[in-house]
Amino acid sequence: MRNIALTLSYDGTNYHGWQFQPELPTVQGALSDAITAICGEPRRLTGCGRTDAGVHALTYCANFETDATIPADRLPYALNSRLPRDISVSAAADVPPDFNAILSCNRKEYVYKLYSGDVHDPFRHSYAYFYPRALDLDAIRRAAAHFVGTHDFAAVRSVGTVTRTSVRTVFHFDITQDADTTTFAVCADGFLYNMARALVGTLLYVSEGKIDADAIPALLESRNRTLAGPTMPPCGLYLNRVWY
Amino acid sequence: MRNIALTLSYDGTNYHGWQFQPELPTVQGALSDAITAICGEPRRLTGCGRTDAGVHALTYCANFETDATIPADRLPYALNSRLPRDISVSAAADVPPDFNAILSCNRKEYVYKLYSGDVHDPFRHSYAYFYPRALDLDAIRRAAAHFVGTHDFAAVRSVGTVTRTSVRTVFHFDITQDADTTTFAVCADGFLYNMARALVGTLLYVSEGKIDADAIPALLESRNRTLAGPTMPPCGLYLNRVWY
């Protein structure tokens, strides 16, 4: 039995997230259909994480087991010929039997994109969040630095999934600007449900003066979701990179 | 009664074209709803042309008559607050009573975008056509030059709408490349049904050696749609500019 890892990217606009759901379009469902057409039904198809409805992936990793004999380097072309145009496989490789896209992943980076301007851009409605207010970048960066390190992130997760612990380690949290676009890049060993979007919402509250940048440690300490900023809409969020 | 001209842009992906159709999402329908909310129901709402389902507009002009007293310079913000995120009004102005967005328009430019690469880009599925073959730009440009001027374009229109004449004047037809993207820009005093997309399809047939570049004059002469290239998919087509 081969274990094959795929690198893919997708526009999440038209999907109810990664994870398979009966009767609903999902990335896992679409990918599974394409694999079935080329390799026969895959034994297990594991993704590196659940992305929510409308969230995108610039780099996503998935693995599946199969007895098919097609060479790995021919899989991207073959799978792309069966995939909808908003999902694209860029690489495939045979990996050791114990490789698991989610369990073997030790670090992920999400980016969130905002853009400013006089009017919203109709071509970015699904790809960035229109935020036409001035940003206090100094305050945002000071607050973001407080999130870096190992903390209990219960204050910035949504209720929904049960996890063993809400302690995570954030490795970096960088904010950059390019023309009208501001990009928030946050890298951690794992993300709680809606954590990336709540972190960005909290930084915008800091920019708006609703939360003090140096109140972040106390906010984390409180573990109280109602003290943090809002969960941002999914359109601006991308899984950008995964590490193994 | 005021006559107000609007400049707008839209992502046509989720619309059945500009023109109002009962029960279907259209740009005219969405714009009419927003105008009604701000100004009351508009007396006539005229667009500068019918774009097909999935076709975009970087610059589109529409006009409507109203008795509303809201200053024109406040209309973009007010309308945008009521419009879906894939339509955006950038300007509004009071214009003379005889201004008519379609009848007063004397020139339009469409652009069509192709991109190349090893695999398709999931973020461009609705915004450019994936064409991973080499392009013979010399042949394409030689063929395009034959379309410039005043000709009968019956060979490159789809049956559908009745027009007085199929003679049109093409002012320029330029092909440019930037990184992985090739842009076809064609400007004319008017376009027959599907003409822009059939012109690009014909140029790709030239690139593929299926039509000789210098056979274009005879092709136009024939008025035979079956001799020209295919009508390209709508995703790559944008109304780029309109002249008054």
PDB file of all heavy atoms in Angstrom, chain A residues 9-11 56 58 80 85-89 119-120 122-123 125 127, chain B residues 9-11 56 58 80 85-89 119-120 122-123 125 127:
ATOM      1  N   SER A   9      -3.632  23.849  -3.688  1.00  0.00           N
ATOM      2  CA  SER A   9      -4.117  25.167  -3.275  1.00  0.00           C
ATOM      3  C   SER A   9      -5.566  25.263  -3.719  1.00  0.00           C
ATOM      4  O   SER A   9      -5.981  24.565  -4.643  1.00  0.00           O
ATOM      5  CB  SER A   9      -3.268  26.289  -3.888  1.00  0.00           C
ATOM      6  OG  SER A   9      -3.237  26.190  -5.289  1.00  0.00           O
ATOM      7  N   TYR A  10      -6.325  26.058  -3.033  1.00  0.00           N
ATOM      8  CA  TYR A  10      -7.725  26.201  -3.439  1.00  0.00           C
ATOM      9  C   TYR A  10      -8.307  27.548  -3.048  1.00  0.00           C
ATOM     10  O   TYR A  10      -7.903  28.167  -2.077  1.00  0.00           O
ATOM     11  CB  TYR A  10      -8.599  25.064  -2.917  1.00  0.00           C
ATOM     12  CG  TYR A  10      -8.558  24.800  -1.428  1.00  0.00           C
ATOM     13  CD1 TYR A  10      -9.341  25.540  -0.548  1.00  0.00           C
ATOM     14  CD2 TYR A  10      -7.758  23.792  -0.902  1.00  0.00           C
ATOM     15  CE1 TYR A  10      -9.331  25.282   0.811  1.00  0.00           C
ATOM     16  CE2 TYR A  10      -7.732  23.523   0.453  1.00  0.00           C
ATOM     17  CZ  TYR A  10      -8.518  24.273   1.309  1.00  0.00           C
ATOM     18  OH  TYR A  10      -8.499  24.015   2.658  1.00  0.00           O
ATOM     19  N   ASP A  11      -9.249  27.950  -3.868  1.00  0.00           N
ATOM     20  CA  ASP A  11     -10.103  29.098  -3.592  1.00  0.00           C
ATOM     21  C   ASP A  11     -11.298  28.537  -2.825  1.00  0.00           C
ATOM     22  O   ASP A  11     -12.107  27.785  -3.381  1.00  0.00           O
ATOM     23  CB  ASP A  11     -10.534  29.705  -4.933  1.00  0.00           C
ATOM     24  CG  ASP A  11     -11.559  30.819  -4.790  1.00  0.00           C
ATOM     25  OD1 ASP A  11     -12.121  30.989  -3.699  1.00  0.00           O
ATOM     26  OD2 ASP A  11     -11.798  31.510  -5.799  1.00  0.00           O
ATOM     27  N   HIS A  56      -9.413  30.157   2.270  1.00  0.00           N
ATOM     28  CA  HIS A  56      -8.610  29.692   1.144  1.00  0.00           C
ATOM     29  C   HIS A  56      -7.341  28.982   1.622  1.00  0.00           C
ATOM     30  O   HIS A  56      -6.948  29.104   2.769  1.00  0.00           O
ATOM     31  CB  HIS A  56      -8.196  30.886   0.282  1.00  0.00           C
ATOM     32  CG  HIS A  56      -9.320  31.820  -0.005  1.00  0.00           C
ATOM     33  ND1 HIS A  56     -10.400  31.450  -0.775  1.00  0.00           N
ATOM     34  CD2 HIS A  56      -9.559  33.101   0.393  1.00  0.00           C
ATOM     35  CE1 HIS A  56     -11.241  32.474  -0.853  1.00  0.00           C
ATOM     36  NE2 HIS A  56     -10.759  33.476  -0.156  1.00  0.00           N
ATOM     37  N   LEU A  58      -3.328  28.672   0.131  1.00  0.00           N
ATOM     38  CA  LEU A  58      -2.273  28.869  -0.864  1.00  0.00           C
ATOM     39  C   LEU A  58      -1.380  27.643  -0.900  1.00  0.00           C
ATOM     40  O   LEU A  58      -0.843  27.278  -1.945  1.00  0.00           O
ATOM     41  CB  LEU A  58      -1.472  30.126  -0.523  1.00  0.00           C
ATOM     42  CG  LEU A  58      -2.292  31.413  -0.683  1.00  0.00           C
ATOM     43  CD1 LEU A  58      -1.614  32.591   0.014  1.00  0.00           C
ATOM     44  CD2 LEU A  58      -2.505  31.724  -2.155  1.00  0.00           C
ATOM     45  N   ASN A  80      -5.633  17.189 -11.733  1.00  0.00           N
ATOM     46  CA  ASN A  80      -6.150  18.493 -12.171  1.00  0.00           C
ATOM     47  C   ASN A  80      -7.146  18.361 -13.309  1.00  0.00           C
ATOM     48  O   ASN A  80      -8.052  19.176 -13.447  1.00  0.00           O
ATOM     49  CB  ASN A  80      -4.995  19.416 -12.574  1.00  0.00           C
ATOM     50  CG  ASN A  80      -4.230  19.926 -11.366  1.00  0.00           C
ATOM     51  OD1 ASN A  80      -4.791  20.043 -10.268  1.00  0.00           O
ATOM     52  ND2 ASN A  80      -2.955  20.220 -11.553  1.00  0.00           N
ATOM     53  N   ARG A  85     -12.041  23.885 -11.269  1.00  0.00           N
ATOM     54  CA  ARG A  85     -11.006  24.885 -11.562  1.00  0.00           C
ATOM     55  C   ARG A  85     -10.543  25.669 -10.330  1.00  0.00           C
ATOM     56  O   ARG A  85      -9.540  26.370 -10.397  1.00  0.00           O
ATOM     57  CB  ARG A  85     -11.501  25.885 -12.612  1.00  0.00           C
ATOM     58  CG  ARG A  85     -11.769  25.290 -13.995  1.00  0.00           C
ATOM     59  CD  ARG A  85     -10.494  25.005 -14.765  1.00  0.00           C
ATOM     60  NE  ARG A  85     -10.003  23.664 -14.553  1.00  0.00           N
ATOM     61  CZ  ARG A  85      -8.913  23.152 -15.116  1.00  0.00           C
ATOM     62  NH1 ARG A  85      -8.193  23.867 -15.942  1.00  0.00           N
ATOM     63  NH2 ARG A  85      -8.518  21.933 -14.851  1.00  0.00           N
ATOM     64  N   ASP A  86     -11.277  25.571  -9.217  1.00  0.00           N
ATOM     65  CA  ASP A  86     -10.878  26.333  -8.032  1.00  0.00           C
ATOM     66  C   ASP A  86     -10.053  25.503  -7.045  1.00  0.00           C
ATOM     67  O   ASP A  86      -9.806  25.936  -5.916  1.00  0.00           O
ATOM     68  CB  ASP A  86     -12.084  26.995  -7.344  1.00  0.00           C
ATOM     69  CG  ASP A  86     -13.257  26.060  -7.169  1.00  0.00           C
ATOM     70  OD1 ASP A  86     -13.091  24.850  -7.401  1.00  0.00           O
ATOM     71  OD2 ASP A  86     -14.335  26.534  -6.788  1.00  0.00           O
ATOM     72  N   ILE A  87      -9.622  24.327  -7.474  1.00  0.00           N
ATOM     73  CA  ILE A  87      -8.687  23.506  -6.693  1.00  0.00           C
ATOM     74  C   ILE A  87      -7.579  23.091  -7.650  1.00  0.00           C
ATOM     75  O   ILE A  87      -7.860  22.723  -8.784  1.00  0.00           O
ATOM     76  CB  ILE A  87      -9.360  22.236  -6.130  1.00  0.00           C
ATOM     77  CG1 ILE A  87     -10.573  22.596  -5.266  1.00  0.00           C
ATOM     78  CG2 ILE A  87      -8.364  21.392  -5.318  1.00  0.00           C
ATOM     79  CD1 ILE A  87     -11.360  21.384  -4.768  1.00  0.00           C
ATOM     80  N   SER A  88      -6.334  23.137  -7.191  1.00  0.00           N
ATOM     81  CA  SER A  88      -5.227  22.784  -8.063  1.00  0.00           C
ATOM     82  C   SER A  88      -4.172  22.012  -7.277  1.00  0.00           C
ATOM     83  O   SER A  88      -3.745  22.445  -6.206  1.00  0.00           O
ATOM     84  CB  SER A  88      -4.622  24.075  -8.638  1.00  0.00           C
ATOM     85  OG  SER A  88      -3.493  23.773  -9.423  1.00  0.00           O
ATOM     86  N   VAL A  89      -3.765  20.868  -7.812  1.00  0.00           N
ATOM     87  CA  VAL A  89      -2.701  20.071  -7.194  1.00  0.00           C
ATOM     88  C   VAL A  89      -1.389  20.423  -7.882  1.00  0.00           C
ATOM     89  O   VAL A  89      -1.288  20.355  -9.108  1.00  0.00           O
ATOM     90  CB  VAL A  89      -2.989  18.559  -7.346  1.00  0.00           C
ATOM     91  CG1 VAL A  89      -1.801  17.731  -6.855  1.00  0.00           C
ATOM     92  CG2 VAL A  89      -4.256  18.185  -6.585  1.00  0.00           C
ATOM     93  N   VAL A 119     -13.579  53.117  -2.289  1.00  0.00           N
ATOM     94  CA  VAL A 119     -14.722  52.220  -2.496  1.00  0.00           C
ATOM     95  C   VAL A 119     -14.192  50.794  -2.516  1.00  0.00           C
ATOM     96  O   VAL A 119     -13.017  50.560  -2.780  1.00  0.00           O
ATOM     97  CB  VAL A 119     -15.464  52.514  -3.831  1.00  0.00           C
ATOM     98  CG1 VAL A 119     -16.134  53.872  -3.786  1.00  0.00           C
ATOM     99  CG2 VAL A 119     -14.534  52.418  -5.023  1.00  0.00           C
ATOM    100  N   HIS A 120     -15.062  49.856  -2.250  1.00  0.00           N
ATOM    101  CA  HIS A 120     -14.626  48.466  -2.246  1.00  0.00           C
ATOM    102  C   HIS A 120     -14.326  48.012  -3.677  1.00  0.00           C
ATOM    103  O   HIS A 120     -14.857  48.568  -4.644  1.00  0.00           O
ATOM    104  CB  HIS A 120     -15.676  47.570  -1.585  1.00  0.00           C
ATOM    105  CG  HIS A 120     -16.971  47.500  -2.311  1.00  0.00           C
ATOM    106  ND1 HIS A 120     -18.015  48.382  -2.109  1.00  0.00           N
ATOM    107  CD2 HIS A 120     -17.414  46.651  -3.275  1.00  0.00           C
ATOM    108  CE1 HIS A 120     -19.004  48.073  -2.910  1.00  0.00           C
ATOM    109  NE2 HIS A 120     -18.691  47.032  -3.621  1.00  0.00           N
ATOM    110  N   PRO A 122     -14.749  45.296  -6.417  1.00  0.00           N
ATOM    111  CA  PRO A 122     -15.658  44.163  -6.651  1.00  0.00           C
ATOM    112  C   PRO A 122     -14.929  42.863  -6.974  1.00  0.00           C
ATOM    113  O   PRO A 122     -15.498  41.792  -6.832  1.00  0.00           O
ATOM    114  CB  PRO A 122     -16.518  44.623  -7.833  1.00  0.00           C
ATOM    115  CG  PRO A 122     -15.752  45.710  -8.488  1.00  0.00           C
ATOM    116  CD  PRO A 122     -14.947  46.368  -7.402  1.00  0.00           C
ATOM    117  N   PHE A 123     -13.656  42.966  -7.386  1.00  0.00           N
ATOM    118  CA  PHE A 123     -12.907  41.756  -7.738  1.00  0.00           C
ATOM    119  C   PHE A 123     -12.193  41.133  -6.538  1.00  0.00           C
ATOM    120  O   PHE A 123     -11.548  40.106  -6.669  1.00  0.00           O
ATOM    121  CB  PHE A 123     -11.916  42.052  -8.866  1.00  0.00           C
ATOM    122  CG  PHE A 123     -12.627  42.382 -10.141  1.00  0.00           C
ATOM    123  CD1 PHE A 123     -12.845  43.703 -10.500  1.00  0.00           C
ATOM    124  CD2 PHE A 123     -13.135  41.379 -10.942  1.00  0.00           C
ATOM    125  CE1 PHE A 123     -13.542  44.015 -11.658  1.00  0.00           C
ATOM    126  CE2 PHE A 123     -13.833  41.679 -12.105  1.00  0.00           C
ATOM    127  CZ  PHE A 123     -14.040  43.000 -12.458  1.00  0.00           C
ATOM    128  N   HIS A 125     -13.970  40.763  -3.473  1.00  0.00           N
ATOM    129  CA  HIS A 125     -14.989  40.513  -2.439  1.00  0.00           C
ATOM    130  C   HIS A 125     -14.771  39.197  -1.710  1.00  0.00           C
ATOM    131  O   HIS A 125     -15.106  39.081  -0.530  1.00  0.00           O
ATOM    132  CB  HIS A 125     -16.394  40.567  -3.040  1.00  0.00           C
ATOM    133  CG  HIS A 125     -16.635  39.579  -4.132  1.00  0.00           C
ATOM    134  ND1 HIS A 125     -17.188  38.348  -3.905  1.00  0.00           N
ATOM    135  CD2 HIS A 125     -16.364  39.639  -5.451  1.00  0.00           C
ATOM    136  CE1 HIS A 125     -17.254  37.698  -5.049  1.00  0.00           C
ATOM    137  NE2 HIS A 125     -16.753  38.457  -6.002  1.00  0.00           N
ATOM    138  N   TYR A 127     -11.667  37.650  -1.557  1.00  0.00           N
ATOM    139  CA  TYR A 127     -10.230  37.399  -1.403  1.00  0.00           C
ATOM    140  C   TYR A 127      -9.512  38.315  -0.416  1.00  0.00           C
ATOM    141  O   TYR A 127      -8.328  38.135  -0.149  1.00  0.00           O
ATOM    142  CB  TYR A 127      -9.557  37.444  -2.773  1.00  0.00           C
ATOM    143  CG  TYR A 127     -10.257  36.529  -3.740  1.00  0.00           C
ATOM    144  CD1 TYR A 127     -11.033  37.019  -4.787  1.00  0.00           C
ATOM    145  CD2 TYR A 127     -10.210  35.152  -3.535  1.00  0.00           C
ATOM    146  CE1 TYR A 127     -11.718  36.157  -5.632  1.00  0.00           C
ATOM    147  CE2 TYR A 127     -10.895  34.293  -4.376  1.00  0.00           C
ATOM    148  CZ  TYR A 127     -11.642  34.796  -5.419  1.00  0.00           C
ATOM    149  OH  TYR A 127     -12.327  33.943  -6.237  1.00  0.00           O
TER     150      TYR A 127
ATOM    151  N   SER B   9     -18.042  49.233 -11.576  1.00  0.00           N
ATOM    152  CA  SER B   9     -17.298  48.048 -12.015  1.00  0.00           C
ATOM    153  C   SER B   9     -17.929  46.858 -11.328  1.00  0.00           C
ATOM    154  O   SER B   9     -18.560  46.997 -10.282  1.00  0.00           O
ATOM    155  CB  SER B   9     -15.807  48.167 -11.674  1.00  0.00           C
ATOM    156  OG  SER B   9     -15.617  48.385 -10.298  1.00  0.00           O
ATOM    157  N   TYR B  10     -17.808  45.709 -11.944  1.00  0.00           N
ATOM    158  CA  TYR B  10     -18.381  44.525 -11.308  1.00  0.00           C
ATOM    159  C   TYR B  10     -17.674  43.250 -11.713  1.00  0.00           C
ATOM    160  O   TYR B  10     -17.110  43.146 -12.797  1.00  0.00           O
ATOM    161  CB  TYR B  10     -19.887  44.403 -11.559  1.00  0.00           C
ATOM    162  CG  TYR B  10     -20.347  44.437 -12.995  1.00  0.00           C
ATOM    163  CD1 TYR B  10     -20.308  43.285 -13.800  1.00  0.00           C
ATOM    164  CD2 TYR B  10     -20.849  45.606 -13.555  1.00  0.00           C
ATOM    165  CE1 TYR B  10     -20.760  43.315 -15.101  1.00  0.00           C
ATOM    166  CE2 TYR B  10     -21.297  45.643 -14.857  1.00  0.00           C
ATOM    167  CZ  TYR B  10     -21.246  44.483 -15.636  1.00  0.00           C
ATOM    168  OH  TYR B  10     -21.673  44.520 -16.931  1.00  0.00           O
ATOM    169  N   ASP B  11     -17.704  42.322 -10.769  1.00  0.00           N
ATOM    170  CA  ASP B  11     -17.273  40.943 -10.995  1.00  0.00           C
ATOM    171  C   ASP B  11     -18.523  40.207 -11.467  1.00  0.00           C
ATOM    172  O   ASP B  11     -19.469  40.020 -10.694  1.00  0.00           O
ATOM    173  CB  ASP B  11     -16.765  40.382  -9.664  1.00  0.00           C
ATOM    174  CG  ASP B  11     -16.435  38.902  -9.722  1.00  0.00           C
ATOM    175  OD1 ASP B  11     -16.817  38.229 -10.702  1.00  0.00           O
ATOM    176  OD2 ASP B  11     -15.807  38.407  -8.773  1.00  0.00           O
ATOM    177  N   HIS B  56     -17.092  40.344 -16.965  1.00  0.00           N
ATOM    178  CA  HIS B  56     -16.834  41.376 -15.959  1.00  0.00           C
ATOM    179  C   HIS B  56     -16.814  42.769 -16.591  1.00  0.00           C
ATOM    180  O   HIS B  56     -16.711  42.909 -17.800  1.00  0.00           O
ATOM    181  CB  HIS B  56     -15.472  41.127 -15.310  1.00  0.00           C
ATOM    182  CG  HIS B  56     -15.267  39.707 -14.913  1.00  0.00           C
ATOM    183  ND1 HIS B  56     -16.020  39.102 -13.937  1.00  0.00           N
ATOM    184  CD2 HIS B  56     -14.418  38.742 -15.366  1.00  0.00           C
ATOM    185  CE1 HIS B  56     -15.637  37.849 -13.801  1.00  0.00           C
ATOM    186  NE2 HIS B  56     -14.664  37.605 -14.657  1.00  0.00           N
ATOM    187  N   LEU B  58     -14.611  46.374 -15.849  1.00  0.00           N
ATOM    188  CA  LEU B  58     -13.696  47.221 -15.083  1.00  0.00           C
ATOM    189  C   LEU B  58     -14.219  48.651 -15.090  1.00  0.00           C
ATOM    190  O   LEU B  58     -14.028  49.384 -14.127  1.00  0.00           O
ATOM    191  CB  LEU B  58     -12.288  47.138 -15.674  1.00  0.00           C
ATOM    192  CG  LEU B  58     -11.656  45.752 -15.511  1.00  0.00           C
ATOM    193  CD1 LEU B  58     -10.453  45.588 -16.430  1.00  0.00           C
ATOM    194  CD2 LEU B  58     -11.252  45.524 -14.056  1.00  0.00           C
ATOM    195  N   ASN B  80     -23.112  52.147  -2.702  1.00  0.00           N
ATOM    196  CA  ASN B  80     -22.239  51.029  -2.304  1.00  0.00           C
ATOM    197  C   ASN B  80     -22.686  50.400  -0.989  1.00  0.00           C
ATOM    198  O   ASN B  80     -22.481  49.202  -0.774  1.00  0.00           O
ATOM    199  CB  ASN B  80     -20.780  51.496  -2.208  1.00  0.00           C
ATOM    200  CG  ASN B  80     -20.169  51.714  -3.582  1.00  0.00           C
ATOM    201  OD1 ASN B  80     -20.579  51.075  -4.558  1.00  0.00           O
ATOM    202  ND2 ASN B  80     -19.205  52.609  -3.677  1.00  0.00           N
ATOM    203  N   ARG B  85     -21.189  43.050  -2.638  1.00  0.00           N
ATOM    204  CA  ARG B  85     -19.763  43.370  -2.644  1.00  0.00           C
ATOM    205  C   ARG B  85     -19.098  43.188  -4.006  1.00  0.00           C
ATOM    206  O   ARG B  85     -17.961  43.620  -4.195  1.00  0.00           O
ATOM    207  CB  ARG B  85     -19.016  42.509  -1.617  1.00  0.00           C
ATOM    208  CG  ARG B  85     -19.398  42.761  -0.168  1.00  0.00           C
ATOM    209  CD  ARG B  85     -18.787  44.038   0.385  1.00  0.00           C
ATOM    210  NE  ARG B  85     -19.674  45.172   0.210  1.00  0.00           N
ATOM    211  CZ  ARG B  85     -19.414  46.416   0.619  1.00  0.00           C
ATOM    212  NH1 ARG B  85     -18.302  46.682   1.241  1.00  0.00           N
ATOM    213  NH2 ARG B  85     -20.259  47.394   0.400  1.00  0.00           N
ATOM    214  N   ASP B  86     -19.780  42.524  -4.936  1.00  0.00           N
ATOM    215  CA  ASP B  86     -19.158  42.304  -6.247  1.00  0.00           C
ATOM    216  C   ASP B  86     -19.567  43.356  -7.282  1.00  0.00           C
ATOM    217  O   ASP B  86     -19.279  43.208  -8.469  1.00  0.00           O
ATOM    218  CB  ASP B  86     -19.403  40.878  -6.751  1.00  0.00           C
ATOM    219  CG  ASP B  86     -20.844  40.438  -6.643  1.00  0.00           C
ATOM    220  OD1 ASP B  86     -21.710  41.294  -6.339  1.00  0.00           O
ATOM    221  OD2 ASP B  86     -21.117  39.250  -6.867  1.00  0.00           O
ATOM    222  N   ILE B  87     -20.207  44.415  -6.830  1.00  0.00           N
ATOM    223  CA  ILE B  87     -20.517  45.569  -7.684  1.00  0.00           C
ATOM    224  C   ILE B  87     -20.087  46.801  -6.907  1.00  0.00           C
ATOM    225  O   ILE B  87     -20.334  46.895  -5.709  1.00  0.00           O
ATOM    226  CB  ILE B  87     -22.031  45.675  -7.993  1.00  0.00           C
ATOM    227  CG1 ILE B  87     -22.561  44.394  -8.638  1.00  0.00           C
ATOM    228  CG2 ILE B  87     -22.319  46.886  -8.878  1.00  0.00           C
ATOM    229  CD1 ILE B  87     -24.073  44.396  -8.869  1.00  0.00           C
ATOM    230  N   SER B  88     -19.447  47.748  -7.591  1.00  0.00           N
ATOM    231  CA  SER B  88     -18.982  48.947  -6.896  1.00  0.00           C
ATOM    232  C   SER B  88     -19.186  50.172  -7.784  1.00  0.00           C
ATOM    233  O   SER B  88     -18.789  50.180  -8.946  1.00  0.00           O
ATOM    234  CB  SER B  88     -17.490  48.781  -6.566  1.00  0.00           C
ATOM    235  OG  SER B  88     -16.983  49.950  -5.976  1.00  0.00           O
ATOM    236  N   VAL B  89     -19.801  51.208  -7.231  1.00  0.00           N
ATOM    237  CA  VAL B  89     -19.995  52.467  -7.957  1.00  0.00           C
ATOM    238  C   VAL B  89     -18.865  53.412  -7.561  1.00  0.00           C
ATOM    239  O   VAL B  89     -18.646  53.662  -6.374  1.00  0.00           O
ATOM    240  CB  VAL B  89     -21.360  53.108  -7.608  1.00  0.00           C
ATOM    241  CG1 VAL B  89     -21.477  54.497  -8.229  1.00  0.00           C
ATOM    242  CG2 VAL B  89     -22.497  52.209  -8.079  1.00  0.00           C
ATOM    243  N   VAL B 119       0.273  24.410 -13.970  1.00  0.00           N
ATOM    244  CA  VAL B 119      -1.051  24.001 -13.476  1.00  0.00           C
ATOM    245  C   VAL B 119      -1.934  25.240 -13.415  1.00  0.00           C
ATOM    246  O   VAL B 119      -1.443  26.370 -13.351  1.00  0.00           O
ATOM    247  CB  VAL B 119      -0.971  23.364 -12.057  1.00  0.00           C
ATOM    248  CG1 VAL B 119      -0.236  22.037 -12.098  1.00  0.00           C
ATOM    249  CG2 VAL B 119      -0.318  24.298 -11.058  1.00  0.00           C
ATOM    250  N   HIS B 120      -3.230  25.029 -13.434  1.00  0.00           N
ATOM    251  CA  HIS B 120      -4.136  26.174 -13.378  1.00  0.00           C
ATOM    252  C   HIS B 120      -4.080  26.806 -11.989  1.00  0.00           C
ATOM    253  O   HIS B 120      -3.736  26.155 -11.000  1.00  0.00           O
ATOM    254  CB  HIS B 120      -5.556  25.751 -13.745  1.00  0.00           C
ATOM    255  CG  HIS B 120      -6.187  24.798 -12.781  1.00  0.00           C
ATOM    256  ND1 HIS B 120      -6.059  23.432 -12.880  1.00  0.00           N
ATOM    257  CD2 HIS B 120      -6.933  25.005 -11.671  1.00  0.00           C
ATOM    258  CE1 HIS B 120      -6.705  22.856 -11.884  1.00  0.00           C
ATOM    259  NE2 HIS B 120      -7.255  23.780 -11.135  1.00  0.00           N
ATOM    260  N   PRO B 122      -6.015  28.256  -8.952  1.00  0.00           N
ATOM    261  CA  PRO B 122      -7.390  28.187  -8.447  1.00  0.00           C
ATOM    262  C   PRO B 122      -7.990  29.560  -8.135  1.00  0.00           C
ATOM    263  O   PRO B 122      -9.206  29.682  -8.061  1.00  0.00           O
ATOM    264  CB  PRO B 122      -7.258  27.350  -7.166  1.00  0.00           C
ATOM    265  CG  PRO B 122      -5.830  27.422  -6.779  1.00  0.00           C
ATOM    266  CD  PRO B 122      -5.060  27.580  -8.059  1.00  0.00           C
ATOM    267  N   PHE B 123      -7.143  30.573  -7.980  1.00  0.00           N
ATOM    268  CA  PHE B 123      -7.666  31.903  -7.653  1.00  0.00           C
ATOM    269  C   PHE B 123      -8.014  32.722  -8.898  1.00  0.00           C
ATOM    270  O   PHE B 123      -8.475  33.838  -8.791  1.00  0.00           O
ATOM    271  CB  PHE B 123      -6.680  32.660  -6.761  1.00  0.00           C
ATOM    272  CG  PHE B 123      -6.548  32.013  -5.418  1.00  0.00           C
ATOM    273  CD1 PHE B 123      -5.517  31.124  -5.152  1.00  0.00           C
ATOM    274  CD2 PHE B 123      -7.501  32.238  -4.439  1.00  0.00           C
ATOM    275  CE1 PHE B 123      -5.422  30.490  -3.915  1.00  0.00           C
ATOM    276  CE2 PHE B 123      -7.413  31.611  -3.210  1.00  0.00           C
ATOM    277  CZ  PHE B 123      -6.379  30.735  -2.942  1.00  0.00           C
ATOM    278  N   HIS B 125      -9.820  31.171 -11.530  1.00  0.00           N
ATOM    279  CA  HIS B 125     -10.772  30.383 -12.336  1.00  0.00           C
ATOM    280  C   HIS B 125     -11.861  31.235 -12.967  1.00  0.00           C
ATOM    281  O   HIS B 125     -12.354  30.918 -14.039  1.00  0.00           O
ATOM    282  CB  HIS B 125     -11.397  29.252 -11.504  1.00  0.00           C
ATOM    283  CG  HIS B 125     -12.132  29.737 -10.289  1.00  0.00           C
ATOM    284  ND1 HIS B 125     -13.478  29.988 -10.293  1.00  0.00           N
ATOM    285  CD2 HIS B 125     -11.695  30.039  -9.056  1.00  0.00           C
ATOM    286  CE1 HIS B 125     -13.845  30.404  -9.084  1.00  0.00           C
ATOM    287  NE2 HIS B 125     -12.776  30.440  -8.313  1.00  0.00           N
ATOM    288  N   TYR B 127     -11.478  34.640 -13.546  1.00  0.00           N
ATOM    289  CA  TYR B 127     -10.938  35.943 -13.932  1.00  0.00           C
ATOM    290  C   TYR B 127      -9.973  35.910 -15.119  1.00  0.00           C
ATOM    291  O   TYR B 127      -9.531  36.958 -15.578  1.00  0.00           O
ATOM    292  CB  TYR B 127     -10.281  36.606 -12.716  1.00  0.00           C
ATOM    293  CG  TYR B 127     -11.232  36.638 -11.550  1.00  0.00           C
ATOM    294  CD1 TYR B 127     -11.063  35.835 -10.435  1.00  0.00           C
ATOM    295  CD2 TYR B 127     -12.384  37.432 -11.620  1.00  0.00           C
ATOM    296  CE1 TYR B 127     -11.983  35.837  -9.399  1.00  0.00           C
ATOM    297  CE2 TYR B 127     -13.309  37.438 -10.592  1.00  0.00           C
ATOM    298  CZ  TYR B 127     -13.101  36.636  -9.479  1.00  0.00           C
ATOM    299  OH  TYR B 127     -14.019  36.628  -8.469  1.00  0.00           O
TER     300      TYR B 127
END
